[in-house]
Every structure is written in structure tokens, then in C-alpha cells.
Amino acid sequence: MEQRSEKSTVLIVDDDELVKNILIDELSQEYDIISAGNGQEALDKLEEYGEKIEVIVLDLVMPVMDGVTFLENYRNRKEYQKIPVIVATSREDIELEKKCLEYGVWHFVMKPYNPTLLRFRIKNAVAKSKLLVSDKDSVTGIDTKFTFYEKLRRLLAEVPDEKFAFVRMDIDRFKMINNFYGIAEGDRVLKCVAKELTRISEVFEHFLYARMENDVFVCCLPYKEENIELMVNALQISLKKLNKDYNIKMSCGVYVIDDYSLDVTQMYDRAYLAAKRCKENFSKRVVYYNNSMVESMRREQFVINEVNKALEEEQFVLYLQPKVNMILGRPYGAEALVRWIHPKHGMISPGEFIPVFEKNGIIGRLDQYVWRKACQLLRKWIDEGKEPDPISVNVSRVDIYNPHLVETLSKLVTEYRISPHLLNLELTESAFVEDQELVIKTMKRLRDYGFQIMMDDFGSGYSSLNILKDMEIDYLKIDMKFLNQDIGFNGKGEKVLTSVVKMAKWMHLPSIVEGVETQAQVDFLKDIGCEYVQGYYYAKPMPVEEYEKYIEQEHKKETKSLVHANIGVMNELWNPRSATSVLFDMLDVPIAVYEYKDDKIGLLRYNKLYEERIMTGDGEIIEEESEELRTAFDELEAGSQGTVIEILRDSDKWYRLTIKRIGKKSGVAINMVTFFDISDCK
Ligand code: C2E
Ligand code: CA
Ligand code: CA
């Protein structure tokens, strides 16, 4: 290997042999000296030694090519500009000095040379040039961060009238390229970007560029939207040419420099913020910075700073949003939605802090806090003698990676002595795609323990219907996105919704549609047979006390209008996936479930055969028949578990009815009636 001299190299350009020799004597202890007798020779030496030369000491008055002409050439060669030039003058000439400065000269020394002073100047220049010259990226050979920043500071100071754009670019999924195709391929991609940037740099008078780290590149160019567009296109095309097997996408964040009080590193931060947005949106290749991005970053930081205190001081509060059983038209359970009641800033919505918590690993703590609160609440209700419906809690996709998840949840329900059936778990659809194997395993363990799982946000875009067949879940929560259009115009959303609900039925999965806001939506969802809904139309998320009052009122309403009674026992039947339900629909005799209180009878649920053979056109119970049913139901009231009666229908059809009591709640009796056709025996 070539032994590199530790000494820096200085090029001395002077036509006076004597002066040159004195300087060489003076300086050769510390520096390797190269000399030239005029401007042309100096250019030749530059060509020969290139960037090895770290400082140029230049006399201005020389034959063949004078110093100023040399500087003109020097200025036109980008690669030379990082070599500092010290100009020697023998007279004070302001105009000449100005011209030299314009050409990028760093310093002046007076002739005849004062050796001490010259040494000092050279030393400073070398130090500075080292920063600039030696700081080259080893993979791509282009500037590194440091050089870029130095140059950019200089550029902004020297060309204050030009509007520049600071661009930060990186390669999406670069790690994947490295891991999958190997480091060499990764390097090839980086070199390709660097080469293209170098090519582009030749088009512009001012164009700085560098590789910051890994797959991150930056550049600064005169701002015009089409400049950026062209650059991004050029990069994309050359990457495409490089490898046709996979699609390489670059994400670019652009900060159009408008605040010159910022340091270049802060300009980078702005371009970076924009780039982050770009990454989040796969269809975008370029995102421009705007001030609201800083605001959102500030808020993010605020959220992180405040979270510990907030947890300690219990600033997080549980809100409950009822779910409504569409068949019964009554609330059934609720979803726990967390709210942050900040002492100074008031209520902060989860949309703002949940994503930040997920990014920063805080979500696990918050979720466990919410789960505990939900368990405490269920325990409290049970202690008060209520028979609560389940509360569902959100389980972040991040929680799935917690190896103690199942243990944590099972410990919680044990601690509060509640059935795991009462705590339903909502897991967002996107979690199911991330690490399917892990999710399937975890869900199975949770279900084996007795928890019920809801796939949340179904249809929000990540998964296909296909995924459902592999997943052990109990409910499908359908994303409210489907409801965005106006219902009732046979739009695409409704069609999708209809088939999703239908498909869920085939899989014996009850659907819960979220975000229901209007009567029209409710009617539509009833029509397509959706089992549960949740939305502002019925109730917004509310504090616990309010929810308790709400439930109390709903109960009162129910006992008044008996038709839709509140029967917990029935939930099995409303759950089309439950064994009871499946069996119910499979039986080849007509069968129906009635509620009964204070002489009032309501038809709650029936199977297909009942619908075909027994039910009247308008679904009402025939008066004479109801008389007989009443008598039978009263008999059960008196204590018997079941009874049999015979009735005549449509003047020629005889049925034997076996009537069984299957439950009673809040004074409402639930009776199941089976209709055996005995006409042939009569
Ligand atoms: P999500 O689980 O999909 O919750 C439903 C969101 O829809 C809630 O927003 C709810 O208030 C809102 N919503 C309900 N009905 C309607 C309606 O009719 N119209 C409209 N426009 N919106 C409706 P919220 O409470 O702001 O929560 C947002 C998201 O934050 C939740 O979406 C959930 O993903 C997350 N989140 C909330 N609490 C927790 C928690 O304790 N843990 C975790 N990990 N995430 C939570
Ligand atoms: Ca949810
Ligand atoms: Ca949801």
C-alpha cells in the first residue's frame, strides 16, 4: 500500500525563482511543496495532483497567465473551489481585492512575504480545507454531511438573492435491499444516486449535494418546482435502469429556504419533517415542508414529555360508547375509548396521542391502564348487583409484540373476579397483517382463555377478505369509511358493505358497523342484516357516570315497551356465530322465541321454517293463537318448566307446540316454542 505523507501539500505559484526558493526552504519542513511559475503551470499542476493540493499561495503578477486569469479558471472548476487560495499582493488595491474575493479567494498576504504570517495563514487554510476536502463519503465519493453544511452556509451567504430549496431524500425500504440482495447491491444503489446527483449538479450553477448517512442524501439547488420535479424524475429513472427486478422509490422532503436566520441543520430538520410525511404516503414522491409540520412535531414532543405525569395523576379517563343490537334495538355493551383530560390544555383526543404513543413504546402502559380501569368498572357494576354487558377495550397492534400480553390480561380478569367474556378485545385489522403467525397464535391463546376478539377497522385498507378465514375472531367491526357516502343511492360503499356483512354471516361472524350517524344509515344497515352498530346516531362516547344513566334510562324504556325486552340470556341467540344460533337455524321444524310480560307477547327471534310456515305476512302474532300462547306462558309463570299445546291454523293445519322457558330477566320471560306439524295424525 502506498505510504501517504502526513504532510499537507501546498502549491506555490510565483514567477520569481528567488522568492519561490526562499518559501520552499521556509515551508518544506512542515509541508510538501509543489511550485509553478505562472497561472497556466498552476492549472497543469492542479490537473496533475488534483485534490492532493490543500492550499494555493498565488502571486498575481506573472507572465503567460496572471493570477486573476488563473482565478477565473479556478472558479469555473467546481472541484478546485474547496482548495483555499491565499493571494500575495504588493500593493493595496481595493478593486483587485474585491475581484479576488468574488473568485473565492480566502486570504491575502503582503509581499514581500513575512514568513511567520504566511505560515499562520497556510496553517489556518489547511485546517479549513481539511474539513472540506478530507470529508468525502467512502462509498459514493461525494461530499458528506459536514462538507455539505459548510458549503451551504457559504453559498447562502454569498448568493443571498437566489431562492434555494433544501432537499432531503432517502430510499424506501433500503434495509430490505441490503438484507435481501446483499450489501454490494445496496452500495450499487447508493452509488447510482450519487452519480445521478453529480450529473444533475452540472446543470446548475449552484448545486450542493451530499450523502448524509446510510441511504439519506441531501441537496440544495435553486428553487423552482420544475427543478425539483426534474431532479426527482432523473433519479427515479436511473434507479429503474439500475435494477428492473424491484421498484425503488425515493421519498423527498423539500424545504424552500425562506428563513435565513435558521442554521443549516435546522433547515435539514424541516426537510426531514416533510420527508417523513412523504414516507407515510406511498403515492407521494415529494412533500414540501410547511409550518404546520413543526407544530405537529411540537405537539408530539409535548405528548411524550407529559405522559408520565399524566399516567401518575390519572389524567387519562375512560369514555364509553354504547353498541346497539339492531335486532333488539337495545344497547349491548360499550367500547372503552380513552380521553386525555389535561389540566391545562383540556381534552386531547386519542387520534392525537395514540399514534405518538405507538411510535414511542408508551402505548403498552396506557392500554394496560385502560384495561384495568375497564375491569374495575365491571367489578363495580357487578358489586352493585347489575348484570353488565361486556366492555370492549382496544388492543394496539404494538401490544401484540408484548410476550406477556395473554398473561397480563388473564391476570387482570382474575384479579377483579370477572368472566373474560365481559372484557372483549378490539384489535385493529392492520395488526392481523403485520405478523400473521404471531397474531394467530396470540388470538388463539386469548380465545382459549375465554376472551372474545373483535377485528377492528375492518376494511380500512390493509387486509383482504381472505385473511378472515385464518383468523380466530368473534366479531367483525366494519370501518366507518364505508359509510362516508350518503346512504341510499346504491353507491359503491353500500355494495361493499352489503357483501361484507353477508360474507360475515356465512362465517357466522356478527358484524358491528361503526360511525353510524343518520337514520338512513340505520335503515340501510337493518336491511342488510347487520347485527350491531355503534355511532353518534345512537350515542357519542361519554363519561362513565353519563353512560350509567344512559343504560338506566334505556332499561326503563325497555320495560315499558315490551317488544324489545332486555334479555341477557338471548345474546347467545343474537350472536349468529354461537352454537345455539347455528343449531337454531339448522333445525327442520319451525321454532321461535317469545318474550312475555304482563300479558304482552313479543316475537324475538325465529328460524327460517317459522318464517316460511308460521309467520303471518306482517310478522304479527294472530290474536287467537296469542290467546293460547298466553295461557301456556302463564302456566310456565306458575312454575312449570315446559308445556305442550295443540292449535289449529288456517283451518286445516294442526300444530303441536312444545313450549319451554329458556330464561327470565328483569321480569321478562323468554320462552321457546317449537311447532310440530301434526295435521297428518288428525
Ligand atoms: P376506533 O377504535 O376505531 O374507535 C372508534 C372511533 O370512532 C372513536 O374515536 C369514536 O369516538 C369515533 N366514532 C364513534 N362513532 C362515530 C360517529 O358516528 N362518527 C364519527 N365521525 N366518529 C365516531 P376516538 O375516541 O377519537 O378514538 C380514535 C381511535 O383511537 C380509536 O379508533 C382507537 O383506535 C384509538 N383508541 C382510543 N382509545 C384507545 C385505547 O385505550 N387504546 C388504544 N390502543 N387505542 C385507543
Ligand atoms: Ca376500537
Ligand atoms: Ca374502529
Side-chain angles (χ1 to χ4, degrees), residues 145-180:
K145 172 159 87 178
F146 196 83
T147 318
F148 176 80
Y149 282 162
E150 273 296 316
K151 287 185 184 175
L152 182 56
R153 283 191 191 106
R154 224 177 329 136
L155 176 69
L156 295 177
E158 283 168 6
V159 194
D161 297 330
E162 179 83 62
K163 202 169 184 70
F164 286 107
F166 189 125
V167 184
R168 187 242 187 232
M169 300 161 270
D170 71 348
I171 297 155
D172 289 4
R173 293 173 301 151
F174 183 67
K175 261 208 201 94
M176 188 279 287
I177 298 174
N178 263 340
N179 293 341
F180 203 74

mmCIF file of all heavy atoms in Angstrom, residues 145-180:
data_model
loop_
_atom_site.group_PDB
_atom_site.id
_atom_site.type_symbol
_atom_site.label_atom_id
_atom_site.label_comp_id
_atom_site.label_asym_id
_atom_site.label_seq_id
_atom_site.Cartn_x
_atom_site.Cartn_y
_atom_site.Cartn_z
ATOM 1 N N LYS A 145 -21.967 14.969 5.109
ATOM 2 C CA LYS A 145 -22.781 15.958 5.805
ATOM 3 C C LYS A 145 -22.021 17.241 6.129
ATOM 4 O O LYS A 145 -22.467 18.345 5.831
ATOM 5 C CB LYS A 145 -23.296 15.301 7.095
ATOM 6 C CG LYS A 145 -24.007 16.214 8.045
ATOM 7 C CD LYS A 145 -24.873 15.406 8.956
ATOM 8 C CE LYS A 145 -24.143 14.918 10.190
ATOM 9 N NZ LYS A 145 -25.037 14.171 11.081
ATOM 10 N N PHE A 146 -20.861 17.035 6.727
ATOM 11 C CA PHE A 146 -20.122 18.177 7.247
ATOM 12 C C PHE A 146 -19.753 19.160 6.141
ATOM 13 O O PHE A 146 -19.957 20.364 6.246
ATOM 14 C CB PHE A 146 -18.888 17.689 7.989
ATOM 15 C CG PHE A 146 -18.302 18.733 8.853
ATOM 16 C CD1 PHE A 146 -18.824 18.957 10.122
ATOM 17 C CD2 PHE A 146 -17.276 19.547 8.397
ATOM 18 C CE1 PHE A 146 -18.316 19.956 10.921
ATOM 19 C CE2 PHE A 146 -16.766 20.553 9.196
ATOM 20 C CZ PHE A 146 -17.290 20.757 10.459
ATOM 21 N N THR A 147 -19.191 18.586 5.074
ATOM 22 C CA THR A 147 -18.799 19.417 3.945
ATOM 23 C C THR A 147 -20.003 20.160 3.400
ATOM 24 O O THR A 147 -19.943 21.352 3.100
ATOM 25 C CB THR A 147 -18.261 18.518 2.817
ATOM 26 O OG1 THR A 147 -17.450 17.526 3.398
ATOM 27 C CG2 THR A 147 -17.480 19.331 1.829
ATOM 28 N N PHE A 148 -21.072 19.404 3.275
ATOM 29 C CA PHE A 148 -22.298 19.969 2.717
ATOM 30 C C PHE A 148 -22.752 21.176 3.531
ATOM 31 O O PHE A 148 -23.047 22.238 2.988
ATOM 32 C CB PHE A 148 -23.373 18.887 2.682
ATOM 33 C CG PHE A 148 -24.702 19.371 2.206
ATOM 34 C CD1 PHE A 148 -24.960 19.537 0.845
ATOM 35 C CD2 PHE A 148 -25.708 19.674 3.117
ATOM 36 C CE1 PHE A 148 -26.195 19.975 0.399
ATOM 37 C CE2 PHE A 148 -26.947 20.124 2.674
ATOM 38 C CZ PHE A 148 -27.192 20.281 1.319
ATOM 39 N N TYR A 149 -22.763 21.000 4.842
ATOM 40 C CA TYR A 149 -23.201 22.096 5.707
ATOM 41 C C TYR A 149 -22.300 23.315 5.547
ATOM 42 O O TYR A 149 -22.770 24.448 5.450
ATOM 43 C CB TYR A 149 -23.234 21.647 7.171
ATOM 44 C CG TYR A 149 -24.450 20.807 7.525
ATOM 45 C CD1 TYR A 149 -24.460 20.023 8.680
ATOM 46 C CD2 TYR A 149 -25.585 20.799 6.723
ATOM 47 C CE1 TYR A 149 -25.572 19.250 9.024
ATOM 48 C CE2 TYR A 149 -26.687 20.034 7.043
ATOM 49 C CZ TYR A 149 -26.679 19.267 8.200
ATOM 50 O OH TYR A 149 -27.761 18.515 8.519
ATOM 51 N N GLU A 150 -20.986 23.056 5.539
ATOM 52 C CA GLU A 150 -20.030 24.156 5.379
ATOM 53 C C GLU A 150 -20.293 24.924 4.096
ATOM 54 O O GLU A 150 -20.370 26.145 4.077
ATOM 55 C CB GLU A 150 -18.602 23.599 5.335
ATOM 56 C CG GLU A 150 -17.948 23.414 6.678
ATOM 57 C CD GLU A 150 -17.760 24.757 7.378
ATOM 58 O OE1 GLU A 150 -17.321 25.743 6.734
ATOM 59 O OE2 GLU A 150 -18.089 24.788 8.579
ATOM 60 N N LYS A 151 -20.423 24.129 3.033
ATOM 61 C CA LYS A 151 -20.604 24.747 1.714
ATOM 62 C C LYS A 151 -21.930 25.492 1.637
ATOM 63 O O LYS A 151 -22.012 26.553 1.029
ATOM 64 C CB LYS A 151 -20.572 23.676 0.627
ATOM 65 C CG LYS A 151 -19.204 23.112 0.375
ATOM 66 C CD LYS A 151 -19.301 22.163 -0.802
ATOM 67 C CE LYS A 151 -17.962 21.486 -1.061
ATOM 68 N NZ LYS A 151 -18.099 20.484 -2.123
ATOM 69 N N LEU A 152 -22.927 24.897 2.267
ATOM 70 C CA LEU A 152 -24.250 25.513 2.191
ATOM 71 C C LEU A 152 -24.254 26.855 2.928
ATOM 72 O O LEU A 152 -24.806 27.841 2.443
ATOM 73 C CB LEU A 152 -25.313 24.576 2.773
ATOM 74 C CG LEU A 152 -26.744 25.102 2.705
ATOM 75 C CD1 LEU A 152 -27.129 25.463 1.270
ATOM 76 C CD2 LEU A 152 -27.730 24.086 3.265
ATOM 77 N N ARG A 153 -23.596 26.877 4.076
ATOM 78 C CA ARG A 153 -23.523 28.146 4.814
ATOM 79 C C ARG A 153 -22.886 29.215 3.942
ATOM 80 O O ARG A 153 -23.347 30.347 3.867
ATOM 81 C CB ARG A 153 -22.688 27.956 6.090
ATOM 82 C CG ARG A 153 -23.459 27.250 7.177
ATOM 83 C CD ARG A 153 -22.742 27.286 8.514
ATOM 84 N NE ARG A 153 -23.423 26.372 9.418
ATOM 85 C CZ ARG A 153 -22.954 25.184 9.788
ATOM 86 N NH1 ARG A 153 -21.770 24.776 9.377
ATOM 87 N NH2 ARG A 153 -23.655 24.399 10.579
ATOM 88 N N ARG A 154 -21.806 28.799 3.271
ATOM 89 C CA ARG A 154 -21.096 29.750 2.424
ATOM 90 C C ARG A 154 -21.973 30.193 1.257
ATOM 91 O O ARG A 154 -22.077 31.367 0.941
ATOM 92 C CB ARG A 154 -19.811 29.101 1.908
ATOM 93 C CG ARG A 154 -18.649 30.063 2.018
ATOM 94 C CD ARG A 154 -17.302 29.518 1.600
ATOM 95 N NE ARG A 154 -17.066 28.119 1.790
ATOM 96 C CZ ARG A 154 -16.474 27.359 0.844
ATOM 97 N NH1 ARG A 154 -16.133 27.870 -0.313
ATOM 98 N NH2 ARG A 154 -16.236 26.100 1.088
ATOM 99 N N LEU A 155 -22.628 29.221 0.646
ATOM 100 C CA LEU A 155 -23.460 29.521 -0.516
ATOM 101 C C LEU A 155 -24.562 30.526 -0.163
ATOM 102 O O LEU A 155 -24.792 31.502 -0.875
ATOM 103 C CB LEU A 155 -24.090 28.232 -1.043
ATOM 104 C CG LEU A 155 -25.064 28.396 -2.215
ATOM 105 C CD1 LEU A 155 -24.314 28.809 -3.475
ATOM 106 C CD2 LEU A 155 -25.846 27.115 -2.475
ATOM 107 N N LEU A 156 -25.202 30.283 0.981
ATOM 108 C CA LEU A 156 -26.314 31.154 1.356
ATOM 109 C C LEU A 156 -25.835 32.571 1.643
ATOM 110 O O LEU A 156 -26.534 33.540 1.377
ATOM 111 C CB LEU A 156 -27.063 30.585 2.563
ATOM 112 C CG LEU A 156 -27.779 29.249 2.305
ATOM 113 C CD1 LEU A 156 -28.430 28.730 3.572
ATOM 114 C CD2 LEU A 156 -28.802 29.378 1.192
ATOM 115 N N ALA A 157 -24.599 32.652 2.201
ATOM 116 C CA ALA A 157 -24.052 33.975 2.487
ATOM 117 C C ALA A 157 -23.645 34.675 1.199
ATOM 118 O O ALA A 157 -23.809 35.887 1.044
ATOM 119 C CB ALA A 157 -22.859 33.852 3.424
ATOM 120 N N GLU A 158 -23.135 33.892 0.253
ATOM 121 C CA GLU A 158 -22.570 34.501 -0.944
ATOM 122 C C GLU A 158 -23.604 34.788 -2.019
ATOM 123 O O GLU A 158 -23.411 35.655 -2.865
ATOM 124 C CB GLU A 158 -21.469 33.590 -1.523
ATOM 125 C CG GLU A 158 -20.175 33.692 -0.730
ATOM 126 C CD GLU A 158 -19.194 32.587 -1.110
ATOM 127 O OE1 GLU A 158 -19.490 31.838 -2.049
ATOM 128 O OE2 GLU A 158 -18.151 32.488 -0.437
ATOM 129 N N VAL A 159 -24.687 34.006 -2.027
ATOM 130 C CA VAL A 159 -25.709 34.212 -3.060
ATOM 131 C C VAL A 159 -27.052 34.483 -2.383
ATOM 132 O O VAL A 159 -27.956 33.670 -2.420
ATOM 133 C CB VAL A 159 -25.808 32.971 -3.977
ATOM 134 C CG1 VAL A 159 -26.600 33.306 -5.230
ATOM 135 C CG2 VAL A 159 -24.437 32.429 -4.325
ATOM 136 N N PRO A 160 -27.151 35.652 -1.743
ATOM 137 C CA PRO A 160 -28.335 35.887 -0.915
ATOM 138 C C PRO A 160 -29.607 36.141 -1.735
ATOM 139 O O PRO A 160 -30.696 36.034 -1.211
ATOM 140 C CB PRO A 160 -27.963 37.133 -0.101
ATOM 141 C CG PRO A 160 -26.914 37.811 -0.903
ATOM 142 C CD PRO A 160 -26.213 36.783 -1.722
ATOM 143 N N ASP A 161 -29.436 36.451 -3.033
ATOM 144 C CA ASP A 161 -30.622 36.832 -3.801
ATOM 145 C C ASP A 161 -31.350 35.655 -4.435
ATOM 146 O O ASP A 161 -32.459 35.777 -4.923
ATOM 147 C CB ASP A 161 -30.245 37.832 -4.900
ATOM 148 C CG ASP A 161 -29.718 39.118 -4.283
ATOM 149 O OD1 ASP A 161 -30.174 39.434 -3.155
ATOM 150 O OD2 ASP A 161 -28.852 39.754 -4.890
ATOM 151 N N GLU A 162 -30.680 34.519 -4.454
ATOM 152 C CA GLU A 162 -31.293 33.339 -5.081
ATOM 153 C C GLU A 162 -32.189 32.615 -4.079
ATOM 154 O O GLU A 162 -31.885 32.556 -2.885
ATOM 155 C CB GLU A 162 -30.155 32.411 -5.545
ATOM 156 C CG GLU A 162 -30.604 31.128 -6.189
ATOM 157 C CD GLU A 162 -30.945 31.283 -7.674
ATOM 158 O OE1 GLU A 162 -30.049 31.633 -8.444
ATOM 159 O OE2 GLU A 162 -32.121 31.067 -8.013
ATOM 160 N N LYS A 163 -33.299 32.077 -4.554
ATOM 161 C CA LYS A 163 -34.161 31.274 -3.684
ATOM 162 C C LYS A 163 -33.752 29.812 -3.834
ATOM 163 O O LYS A 163 -33.756 29.267 -4.940
ATOM 164 C CB LYS A 163 -35.623 31.447 -4.107
ATOM 165 C CG LYS A 163 -36.587 31.104 -2.996
ATOM 166 C CD LYS A 163 -38.001 31.553 -3.359
ATOM 167 C CE LYS A 163 -38.977 31.313 -2.245
ATOM 168 N NZ LYS A 163 -38.784 32.170 -1.088
ATOM 169 N N PHE A 164 -33.378 29.215 -2.716
ATOM 170 C CA PHE A 164 -32.895 27.834 -2.784
ATOM 171 C C PHE A 164 -33.876 26.862 -2.137
ATOM 172 O O PHE A 164 -34.649 27.223 -1.247
ATOM 173 C CB PHE A 164 -31.559 27.706 -2.045
ATOM 174 C CG PHE A 164 -30.412 28.315 -2.803
ATOM 175 C CD1 PHE A 164 -29.837 29.509 -2.383
ATOM 176 C CD2 PHE A 164 -29.906 27.686 -3.927
ATOM 177 C CE1 PHE A 164 -28.780 30.081 -3.079
ATOM 178 C CE2 PHE A 164 -28.854 28.244 -4.631
ATOM 179 C CZ PHE A 164 -28.287 29.446 -4.205
ATOM 180 N N ALA A 165 -33.780 25.630 -2.589
ATOM 181 C CA ALA A 165 -34.552 24.559 -1.945
ATOM 182 C C ALA A 165 -33.585 23.560 -1.326
ATOM 183 O O ALA A 165 -32.581 23.198 -1.927
ATOM 184 C CB ALA A 165 -35.433 23.853 -2.960
ATOM 185 N N PHE A 166 -33.901 23.176 -0.098
ATOM 186 C CA PHE A 166 -33.109 22.161 0.605
ATOM 187 C C PHE A 166 -33.891 20.854 0.491
ATOM 188 O O PHE A 166 -35.037 20.768 0.916
ATOM 189 C CB PHE A 166 -32.973 22.592 2.071
ATOM 190 C CG PHE A 166 -32.007 21.763 2.871
ATOM 191 C CD1 PHE A 166 -30.954 22.377 3.558
ATOM 192 C CD2 PHE A 166 -32.146 20.378 2.966
ATOM 193 C CE1 PHE A 166 -30.064 21.624 4.315
ATOM 194 C CE2 PHE A 166 -31.262 19.628 3.708
ATOM 195 C CZ PHE A 166 -30.216 20.255 4.384
ATOM 196 N N VAL A 167 -33.266 19.860 -0.121
ATOM 197 C CA VAL A 167 -33.992 18.615 -0.362
ATOM 198 C C VAL A 167 -33.353 17.469 0.419
ATOM 199 O O VAL A 167 -32.132 17.317 0.417
ATOM 200 C CB VAL A 167 -33.996 18.252 -1.863
ATOM 201 C CG1 VAL A 167 -34.849 17.011 -2.117
ATOM 202 C CG2 VAL A 167 -34.490 19.420 -2.690
ATOM 203 N N ARG A 168 -34.152 16.717 1.086
ATOM 204 C CA ARG A 168 -33.669 15.535 1.810
ATOM 205 C C ARG A 168 -34.340 14.307 1.198
ATOM 206 O O ARG A 168 -35.556 14.259 1.058
ATOM 207 C CB ARG A 168 -34.037 15.657 3.284
ATOM 208 C CG ARG A 168 -33.437 14.574 4.155
ATOM 209 C CD ARG A 168 -34.536 13.762 4.803
ATOM 210 N NE ARG A 168 -33.989 12.816 5.765
ATOM 211 C CZ ARG A 168 -34.282 11.522 5.728
ATOM 212 N NH1 ARG A 168 -35.046 11.023 4.790
ATOM 213 N NH2 ARG A 168 -33.788 10.720 6.647
ATOM 214 N N MET A 169 -33.500 13.359 0.792
ATOM 215 C CA MET A 169 -34.063 12.195 0.095
ATOM 216 C C MET A 169 -33.596 10.919 0.773
ATOM 217 O O MET A 169 -32.481 10.849 1.282
ATOM 218 C CB MET A 169 -33.529 12.137 -1.329
ATOM 219 C CG MET A 169 -33.852 13.328 -2.160
ATOM 220 S SD MET A 169 -32.752 13.421 -3.577
ATOM 221 C CE MET A 169 -31.414 14.387 -2.943
ATOM 222 N N ASP A 170 -34.435 9.933 0.784
ATOM 223 C CA ASP A 170 -33.937 8.613 1.126
ATOM 224 C C ASP A 170 -34.666 7.540 0.349
ATOM 225 O O ASP A 170 -35.642 7.812 -0.335
ATOM 226 C CB ASP A 170 -33.969 8.369 2.646
ATOM 227 C CG ASP A 170 -35.377 8.220 3.154
ATOM 228 O OD1 ASP A 170 -36.306 8.513 2.408
ATOM 229 O OD2 ASP A 170 -35.529 7.795 4.310
ATOM 230 N N ILE A 171 -34.107 6.352 0.439
ATOM 231 C CA ILE A 171 -34.628 5.252 -0.374
ATOM 232 C C ILE A 171 -35.547 4.408 0.496
ATOM 233 O O ILE A 171 -35.131 3.934 1.560
ATOM 234 C CB ILE A 171 -33.458 4.408 -0.910
ATOM 235 C CG1 ILE A 171 -32.589 5.277 -1.822
ATOM 236 C CG2 ILE A 171 -33.972 3.176 -1.637
ATOM 237 C CD1 ILE A 171 -31.178 4.820 -1.946
ATOM 238 N N ASP A 172 -36.774 4.255 0.042
ATOM 239 C CA ASP A 172 -37.721 3.459 0.833
ATOM 240 C C ASP A 172 -37.252 2.005 0.904
ATOM 241 O O ASP A 172 -36.798 1.452 -0.084
ATOM 242 C CB ASP A 172 -39.115 3.511 0.193
ATOM 243 C CG ASP A 172 -39.751 4.885 0.371
ATOM 244 O OD1 ASP A 172 -39.062 5.776 0.914
ATOM 245 O OD2 ASP A 172 -40.914 5.049 -0.025
ATOM 246 N N ARG A 173 -37.412 1.427 2.044
ATOM 247 C CA ARG A 173 -37.071 0.025 2.287
ATOM 248 C C ARG A 173 -35.638 -0.318 1.872
ATOM 249 O O ARG A 173 -35.381 -1.375 1.311
ATOM 250 C CB ARG A 173 -38.066 -0.888 1.564
ATOM 251 C CG ARG A 173 -39.480 -0.789 2.161
ATOM 252 C CD ARG A 173 -40.447 -1.549 1.320
ATOM 253 N NE ARG A 173 -40.443 -1.030 -0.030
ATOM 254 C CZ ARG A 173 -40.707 -1.722 -1.120
ATOM 255 N NH1 ARG A 173 -41.011 -2.967 -1.041
ATOM 256 N NH2 ARG A 173 -40.684 -1.150 -2.302
ATOM 257 N N PHE A 174 -34.713 0.627 2.140
ATOM 258 C CA PHE A 174 -33.330 0.366 1.768
ATOM 259 C C PHE A 174 -32.763 -0.830 2.530
ATOM 260 O O PHE A 174 -32.000 -1.629 2.007
ATOM 261 C CB PHE A 174 -32.473 1.610 2.027
ATOM 262 C CG PHE A 174 -31.043 1.442 1.611
ATOM 263 C CD1 PHE A 174 -30.714 1.310 0.271
ATOM 264 C CD2 PHE A 174 -30.030 1.382 2.558
ATOM 265 C CE1 PHE A 174 -29.394 1.131 -0.122
ATOM 266 C CE2 PHE A 174 -28.711 1.208 2.167
ATOM 267 C CZ PHE A 174 -28.397 1.088 0.832
ATOM 268 N N LYS A 175 -33.174 -0.960 3.769
ATOM 269 C CA LYS A 175 -32.726 -2.097 4.589
ATOM 270 C C LYS A 175 -33.091 -3.406 3.901
ATOM 271 O O LYS A 175 -32.326 -4.350 3.903
ATOM 272 C CB LYS A 175 -33.429 -2.046 5.951
ATOM 273 C CG LYS A 175 -32.589 -1.461 7.049
ATOM 274 C CD LYS A 175 -33.023 -2.050 8.408
ATOM 275 C CE LYS A 175 -32.602 -1.149 9.537
ATOM 276 N NZ LYS A 175 -33.658 -0.214 9.936
ATOM 277 N N MET A 176 -34.299 -3.411 3.350
ATOM 278 C CA MET A 176 -34.766 -4.616 2.678
ATOM 279 C C MET A 176 -33.825 -4.962 1.513
ATOM 280 O O MET A 176 -33.443 -6.115 1.334
ATOM 281 C CB MET A 176 -36.193 -4.365 2.183
ATOM 282 C CG MET A 176 -36.919 -5.554 1.630
ATOM 283 S SD MET A 176 -36.497 -5.932 -0.059
ATOM 284 C CE MET A 176 -37.311 -4.624 -0.961
ATOM 285 N N ILE A 177 -33.401 -3.942 0.776
ATOM 286 C CA ILE A 177 -32.495 -4.191 -0.357
ATOM 287 C C ILE A 177 -31.197 -4.794 0.161
ATOM 288 O O ILE A 177 -30.696 -5.785 -0.359
ATOM 289 C CB ILE A 177 -32.210 -2.874 -1.123
ATOM 290 C CG1 ILE A 177 -33.513 -2.323 -1.701
ATOM 291 C CG2 ILE A 177 -31.179 -3.099 -2.213
ATOM 292 C CD1 ILE A 177 -33.386 -0.958 -2.346
ATOM 293 N N ASN A 178 -30.671 -4.199 1.228
ATOM 294 C CA ASN A 178 -29.431 -4.710 1.821
ATOM 295 C C ASN A 178 -29.575 -6.150 2.292
ATOM 296 O O ASN A 178 -28.718 -6.983 2.050
ATOM 297 C CB ASN A 178 -29.037 -3.844 3.022
ATOM 298 C CG ASN A 178 -28.018 -2.797 2.626
ATOM 299 O OD1 ASN A 178 -27.353 -2.939 1.607
ATOM 300 N ND2 ASN A 178 -27.905 -1.751 3.415
ATOM 301 N N ASN A 179 -30.676 -6.409 2.981
ATOM 302 C CA ASN A 179 -30.853 -7.744 3.545
ATOM 303 C C ASN A 179 -31.144 -8.775 2.472
ATOM 304 O O ASN A 179 -30.671 -9.904 2.536
ATOM 305 C CB ASN A 179 -32.026 -7.747 4.544
ATOM 306 C CG ASN A 179 -31.688 -6.917 5.762
ATOM 307 O OD1 ASN A 179 -30.520 -6.651 6.027
ATOM 308 N ND2 ASN A 179 -32.703 -6.493 6.486
ATOM 309 N N PHE A 180 -31.913 -8.356 1.518
ATOM 310 C CA PHE A 180 -32.418 -9.322 0.548
ATOM 311 C C PHE A 180 -31.429 -9.543 -0.585
ATOM 312 O O PHE A 180 -31.165 -10.659 -0.989
ATOM 313 C CB PHE A 180 -33.751 -8.809 0.006
ATOM 314 C CG PHE A 180 -34.614 -9.884 -0.545
ATOM 315 C CD1 PHE A 180 -35.266 -10.766 0.308
ATOM 316 C CD2 PHE A 180 -34.768 -10.035 -1.920
ATOM 317 C CE1 PHE A 180 -36.055 -11.769 -0.202
ATOM 318 C CE2 PHE A 180 -35.563 -11.040 -2.432
ATOM 319 C CZ PHE A 180 -36.209 -11.913 -1.577
#
